[in-house]
Amino acid sequence: MAQFRDSWGNLAGLPSRWSSTIGLQGNSRRAYEGFLKLRLGHSEGRSYLVPDVLIAVGGYRFFLPTFFGPPLLSFNIEPGRHFADFNLDVGHPRTTKRERLVVRIRSEDRVRVYDDGAQIYRCTFEGPRALASFASGLCSPDGGGDFLLQLYHHTTPANARNIKSSGELWSSAWNLAGTRKLTNIAYGYFTTLSEIQSEEDLRTIAMASQGTIQFQTTSGRLREEVLSLKVYRDTTRDRTAALAFSVSSELIAPAHLYVHPPVGREPAYFEVVCPDILRVGVLPKAKLRLSSSQIGVEQLEIKAFDYVIIGDAGTLDGLAAPFDEEETKQITHLEKITLETDLFDFWLANQNTDLVSGRNTDFRQLEKT
């Protein structure tokens, strides 16, 4: 495995994952085709495309982004024809070194529009050979233009038996950190990990045997600052039963984000917070239904928000914000693109305009401490 090199010499410790710059790699990369589910997001001073999941390898592997860059949009390459290019980093949930994909979507290749404004586009991308080995997991087409992701729910053997016998999976009121309860939404929690084997696996699902996980800032400081984040205390002994489910990508809530500020000549970039935790949002105390191994939710019990938190990775408060899920100004508003609205036309029509002020945002609410 390639070694990580701290080129700035200011890290407080080694990162848990990183990506290498694409170089002259001979025949180690090739072109692919696939599908990309994405959203259009706005925060103060910027708009950007937020990738949810990439589907490739004949529609039978899914890839969850960990880092991604801002898009480069090209308008009217031919009359009414537009492109968007950007990079995203992917990898198996237990790998530390991620591989970079360079993705292109075209305005004419939109496949599906979701009720919450997410879109699926056919895409082309450049990536490493043996692409399947970098997948987050297995998936399959659902026959209606969406994809079923194979995910896992980890619990005790006794709870696993109850879930199977009842045909129900209870939602959880815990926030992402597992330290406070939400009052206006609950989540069904899933992960790409098929087993919880180690302390690193626990950290991947925002848990720790000691009850804390450490994060470091991204900045030009002589030495980066460290956040010791309080999270749900648990051990691998309490997560020995794994239940495999098929979950429609339509049901999966968008993940929170970090924005890493520019440092020196390095540009700003985005990070997906806990990419291997996938949540299905429902009304408080609602239950997810099991049909064979497929997860279902009653339409009236689905709960979603039109924003995600985007923490400033240059500050300790920004590192904590996506896990706490408290009301904050550090948010990305998710544009509700409809079937009648083209993403590229919307961008052209609203360029250099304020798309943040005046929005009436329904925030997550937490129990008072």
Side-chain angles (χ1 to χ4, degrees):
M1 180 179 293
Q3 293 184 342
F4 178 81
R5 292 178 174 81
D6 177 10
S7 58
W8 292 95
N10 69 336
L11 295 184
L14 290 178
S16 61
R17 59 178 183 261
W18 69 90
S19 293
S20 299
T21 302
I22 297 174
L24 298 175
Q25 302 183 43
N27 296 322
S28 63
R29 296 176 67 82
R30 53 157 288 191
Y32 296 92
E33 295 181 351
F35 298 88
L36 182 68
K37 183 185 177 190
L38 54 76
R39 304 167 193 270
L40 175 60
H42 316 290
S43 53
E44 290 187 8
R46 59 171 73 94
S47 292
Y48 37 91
L49 301 179
V50 182
D52 273 10
V53 60
L54 184 143
I55 308 292
V57 193
Y60 291 95
R61 297 289 189 280
F62 71 93
F63 301 79
L64 297 173
T66 53
F67 304 98
F68 63 96
L72 175 63
L73 280 78
S74 303
F75 294 103
N76 294 309
I77 301 301
E78 298 173 2
R81 191 167 184 243
H82 320 300
F83 295 167
D85 298 302
F86 56 99
N87 61 70
L88 55 89
D89 298 346
V90 301
H92 185 274
R94 285 199 176 91
T95 190
T96 53
K97 181 177 178 293
R98 306 287 161 148
E99 290 292 335
R100 182 153 299 169
L101 309 182
V102 182
V103 182
R104 167 170 287 185
I105 61 170
R106 300 172 174 83
S107 55
E108 69 269 24
D109 286 339
R110 186 167 70 172
V111 173
R112 178 169 176 169
V113 178
Y114 295 86
D115 290 343
D116 65 357
Q119 321 267 295
I120 281 189
Y121 279 82
R122 293 185 184 274
C123 68
T124 56
F125 62 96
E126 178 196 273
R129 293 185 179 275
L131 180 68
S133 65
F134 301 100
S136 301
L138 303 175
C139 63
S140 61
D142 73 348
D146 201 5
F147 294 87
L148 299 171
L149 312 186
Q150 182 173 306
L151 303 175
Y152 300 90
H153 180 79
H154 297 277
T155 186
T156 64
N159 284 343
R161 288 191 294 271
N162 290 337
I163 291 168
K164 290 179 179 179
S165 63
S166 67
E168 297 176 340
L169 178 63
W170 290 15
S171 59
S172 169
W174 290 111
N175 64 352
L176 187 60
T179 54
R180 293 180 65 187
K181 288 188 176 181
L182 297 153
T183 60
N184 61 345
I185 191 171
Y187 288 104
Y189 275 84
F190 303 92
T191 180
T192 56
L193 291 172
S194 60
E195 294 179 289
I196 305 300
Q197 301 174 331
S198 65
E199 189 68 27
E200 185 58 38
D201 288 347
L202 286 173
R203 287 193 289 269
T204 297
I205 58 173
M207 297 180 184
S209 60
Q210 299 301 312
T212 59
I213 301 177
Q214 291 187 313
F215 298 83
Q216 59 185 320
T217 55
T218 297
S219 71
R221 298 179 178 89
L222 293 177
R223 179 66 61 180
E224 296 294 357
E225 293 188 36
V226 175
L227 170 70
S228 290
L229 180 75
K230 184 179 179 181
V231 296
Y232 191 89
R233 184 189 295 268
D234 207 349
T235 70
T236 56
R237 296 189 301 275
D238 296 327
R239 303 279 162 177
T240 57
L243 298 174
F245 296 112
S246 295
V247 185
S248 168
S249 78
E250 181 176 20
L251 292 177
I252 295 171
H256 297 311
L257 305 171
Y258 286 132
V259 59
H260 293 261
V263 179
R265 296 182 180 179
E266 297 296 324
Y269 61 97
F270 302 95
E271 180 179 355
V272 178
V273 175
C274 295
D276 293 295
I277 296 176
L278 298 100
R279 304 193 293 180
V280 174
V282 295
L283 295 175
K285 298 184 179 180
K287 298 173 183 177
L288 286 68
R289 312 296 177 181
L290 311 183
S291 176
S292 184
S293 63
Q294 185 170 338
I295 293 292
V297 180
E298 296 291 337
Q299 187 65 33
L300 294 178
E301 293 184 330
I302 294 174
K303 174 69 175 179
F305 294 99
D306 60 1
Y307 77 98
V308 294
I309 294 170
I310 182 165
D312 179 356
T315 69
L316 296 181
D317 286 344
L319 290 175
F323 289 89
D324 294 339
E325 300 197 280
E326 291 186 287
E327 184 173 333
T328 174
K329 293 183 178 179
Q330 298 183 62
I331 62 174
T332 293
H333 297 279
L334 302 174
E335 192 67 45
K336 193 170 183 179
I337 301 292
T338 66
L339 189 61
E340 292 73 31
T341 309
D342 177 81
L343 184 156
F344 293 90
D345 289 342
F346 181 92
W347 192 297
L348 270 176
N350 294 277
Q351 59 185 317
N352 301 319
T353 59
D354 180 0
L355 296 170
V356 172
S357 300
R359 289 181 181 257
N360 185 19
T361 303
D362 175 24
F363 285 98
R364 293 170 179 82
Q365 303 296 325
L366 293 103
E367 286 186 347
K368 298 187 183 300
T369 56

